[in-house]
Amino acid sequence: MQHNPPKIKDVALVAGVSTATVSRALTHPDRLTEATRKKVFDAIRVTGYRVNRAARNLRTRRAGAILLLVPNLGNPFFSAILSSVNEVLAANGYSVLVFDSQQPGASAQAVADCLLNGSVDGVISLDGQMSEITLKALTDAGLHNSALFCCEWSEDISLPSIRSDNATGVQLAVAHLVGLGHRRIAHLSGPEGNILATIRKSTFLDACTTHDLSVAPEWILAGDFSLEAGARAAERFVDLADRPTAVFCASDAMALGFIARCRTLGLEVPRDLSVVGFDDIDIAAYANPGLSTIRQDRRGLGRMAAEALVARLREDHSAREVETILAPVTLIERHSTGKAPD
Amino acid sequence: MQHNPPKIKDVALVAGVSTATVSRALTHPDRLTEATRKKVFDAIRVTGYRVNRAARNLRTRRAGAILLLVPNLGNPFFSAILSSVNEVLAANGYSVLVFDSQQPGASAQAVADCLLNGSVDGVISLDGQMSEITLKALTDAGLHNSALFCCEWSEDISLPSIRSDNATGVQLAVAHLVGLGHRRIAHLSGPEGNILATIRKSTFLDACTTHDLSVAPEWILAGDFSLEAGARAAERFVDLADRPTAVFCASDAMALGFIARCRTLGLEVPRDLSVVGFDDIDIAAYANPGLSTIRQDRRGLGRMAAEALVARLREDHSAREVETILAPVTLIERHSTGKAPD
DNA sequence: TTGTATGCGTTATCAC
DNA sequence: GTGATAACGCATACAA
């Protein structure tokens, strides 16, 4: 147990230079002579020196870390995003702090603290519903130019956002079903107040209008993106008097839960009913039947968000444009959709 | 944009006390008079003061953060664990740093740095295959008493571990299949070198022996826990000359991939073939057919690991026993298993 | 190019 | 119980 971690002073001693030189060797290697640089790095190797993050952070007023705000860490939808965000940020020397933004116990205050006490240099929020308190902390901490949304976003908060082209995705889904002859289409929506739920539902309704389809109010089923919500919705669906022949679900998880429960209730997909999801999570391709869905490039979204943030952090924190990147989505036709019954 | 975050000095000024008192109010509130304590907290509220983490960390030589090492962040198996770990640690005032331990780009050096430069106070590793370099960093940093394994573990590294009772799980699975009349059982295993793959395979073989079942070498199919691996294994499986009537898979993901590919190859589950998985991931209950599997309490594992670590961090870092917690597992019978064909 | 000296914001050790 | 003050380890302005 090495209880005397070497400090910059020890390195300087071994290298026969000043502490300032050692520090420079670490942060501005180009400002040193080839010779002294070598001396320093040799000494670093000999002593096994590592720069103390706390000291460096205190001095530079930077943290070398960014905060990733995830709504419900238990949702596997985020794993691919988490992974690619982590990859890019790690490659750029940033650590990633993960916070569950909607966890019951986790007060928004904890997030706010994290921003205000200088633990992070920036924020990527996968949660569009940023609390007032978090938002205030963001501006108070001067991090307003160092935060962005990924996947979700907010109409009220002016931050850059990297997200999928949801509208096009929904249109693709509806067109797909219409192309198969479906005229009566239901929608299983996400949670009230969620921006993705909102845009997917409203675009769905618009698309139906465009295709001259009427949508009965009871065909809009409330959900929350989860498997269980899909299953519960199925129970309401099968009891519908004038049952639609197709369902567009706002998430793959709901679609899978929906299909599973429909099956136990005696409805076969796609024979009796066509179902389209949204996301193209990994399991979608291996479901039975394979789930027709709208593919989001989750890894790409995470990567782009991380890259955009890194770029912003590099630049001057002056007035930057608030940019929106809409990542393309694609329709993946599998076997949960089929011709409408006559 | 508040560019002058208040410091402890400002609070002291407002409260009319010394900085030392303010500091004490924060760390040892009980050592102050009721009156001064109130004065200080009022001043804190007025000024909007937040303690600067970097400064505190530098002074106390603590980080207030722990490192979560995840093998493959893209794997949804970990999301529930991640979630509960985060929950417990956040409740105890720790931030969670997430690192993908097997990411191609992420050198073990990055992890080592993180340990050596004082960014974290402890480590929870979901990865049993800790690299030499990481391990050395762990001891060099004096963190050997502040690290533990969760889910996976290592025979060679003496750290506490919180894990499922894998052996019992495998025995339950085999007994279940035997009870249904299966005498010829195949095994789809995890990646070479992985401790879970190892124990599940060896226990499987032992259990077969116990039940007087012989297992042909070609019935042991190599996988890597992923959906794709399951699908690929199915292709080898269907070509087997003397095909088993059941398969025990080392993960649910593989089981689902396996079943899906079997179906496209003309094999029906459970009519032609029974399949048991391991993990009970969320989707297992909604698969078609519902997946019979061994349930791991993922949230519980994460919670226990986090609690154990917090407890260790509280105590003296002297010689603590290396404890192992085996969490119980249960057999979940669904519809991917059925009576063996005559 | 390199060295000297100072301060980043806190906590802990002393005195009082 | 409270206040003055010295570290904590590093990066930088300035001097050389």
Side-chain angles (χ1 to χ4, degrees), chain B residues 15 17 21 25 29 32-46:
Chain B
V17 300
T21 300
L32 298 193
T33 317
E34 167 65 31
T36 52
R37 201 189 314 147
K38 179 175 174 1
K39 273 195 301 185
V40 172
F41 281 120
D42 282 349
I44 287 179
R45 205 168 316 115
V46 168

Side-chain angles (χ1 to χ4, degrees), chain A residues 195-214:
Chain A
I195 189 80
L196 296 174
T198 304
I199 191 172
R200 288 174 193 170
K201 172 156 57 170
S202 70
T203 309
F204 168 77
L205 293 172
D206 289 350
C208 285
T209 303
T210 302
H211 288 285
D212 257 337
L213 270 39
S214 64

Side-chain angles (χ1 to χ4, degrees), chain A residues 279-296:
Chain A
D279 291 343
D280 194 31
I281 58 178
D282 293 344
I283 192 72
Y286 296 92
N288 179 21
L291 185 64
S292 294
T293 190
I294 303 300
R295 184 178 192 342
Q296 290 198 68

